[in-house]
Amino acid sequence: MVVESKVSRSDFLADRAKPHRNGKSAGMGTYRYYICTEGLIGLDDLPERWGLLWVNKRGHIKLKAGHVCAYLACGYRGHELAPFWQHPADQRFELDMLAHALVRFGDPEETKQLVRGAHRERSRLAAEVDRLNEEIKQYRLDRWRLNTYEQKYGELERQNSR
């Protein structure tokens, strides 16, 4: 399966000239999807047998077209419709790309550790953001309490702290 990301309409339209898009040569992936922001590509714009995934403003992915729709709509019998979505794939090219990716990745264990470290850092930063947001809430509450007190009892005398 290939999922190709498009960030602009012109990027999507430029793809129509590629030989593996118009059926003149085999491309990668038995099943092919575009993923884009909601509404960037419409169902009528899709090349034959291509699926479509939309990403909304909240980051949720919405399945609009593709072989997975057949499974969702028809349950187990969806596998009968799946061949409609299949493309002839250049498996030799796919294997070459996979080999190239493995060479670039280097040690898979090192890559796994790097990804785990990135997830830990993301979690740490998310916790820090949550803590700071709670701190901001507390400062706002304290400011509101102070303003309420001053409205009721007048200005507080502030001592210079040195």
Side-chain angles (χ1 to χ4, degrees):
M1 180 183 310
V2 170
V3 178
E4 188 165 334
S5 175
K6 294 298 171 192
V7 294
S8 71
R9 184 125 178 101
S10 60
D11 181 22
F12 169 71
L13 294 174
D15 268 6
R16 290 184 176 183
K18 293 181 180 176
H20 56 279
R21 295 288 191 279
N22 59 28
K24 292 181 181 172
S25 70
M28 287 181 55
T30 302
Y31 298 105
R32 301 175 189 169
Y33 285 80
Y34 284 112
I35 188 167
C36 65
T37 55
E38 195 168 12
L40 182 72
I41 301 171
L43 294 174
D44 294 337
D45 300 324
L46 289 175
E48 194 173 313
R49 299 186 319 248
W50 276 74
L52 179 61
L53 304 166
W54 279 355
V55 181
N56 67 17
K57 291 181 181 184
R58 295 180 62 201
H60 298 150
I61 297 174
K62 192 175 194 180
L63 177 64
K64 298 302 287 181
H67 78 288
V68 177
C69 288
Y71 290 100
L72 294 175
C74 303
Y76 175 74
R77 298 211 49 182
H79 75 280
E80 296 171 2
L81 299 174
F84 167 78
W85 296 95
Q86 291 179 354
H87 292 263
D90 185 347
Q91 292 181 343
R92 182 75 222 159
F93 182 68
E94 289 182 16
L95 288 173
D96 289 345
M97 290 294 291
L98 179 60
H100 180 70
L102 288 173
V103 166
R104 291 192 68 196
F105 261 134
D107 181 18
E109 190 63 34
E110 184 180 322
T111 302
K112 183 173 78 174
Q113 293 303 322
L114 184 66
V115 169
R116 284 183 177 164
H119 281 292
R120 277 193 301 275
E121 180 67 5
R122 183 185 58 88
S123 296
R124 185 191 69 75
L125 291 171
E128 178 73 6
V129 166
D130 289 345
R131 185 188 66 73
L132 291 171
N133 281 333
E134 286 301 316
E135 207 172 293
I136 289 169
K137 279 185 194 176
Q138 187 61 49
Y139 285 134
R140 287 179 178 159
L141 180 61
D142 290 347
R143 185 177 63 200
W144 177 81
R145 285 179 178 156
L146 180 61
N147 286 339
T148 303
Y149 181 87
E150 287 179 342
Q151 287 173 359
K152 190 171 184 177
Y153 299 110
E155 284 278 325
L156 290 176
E157 287 187 31
R158 300 200 173 150
Q159 296 178 353
N160 290 336
S161 59
R162 293 185 185 190

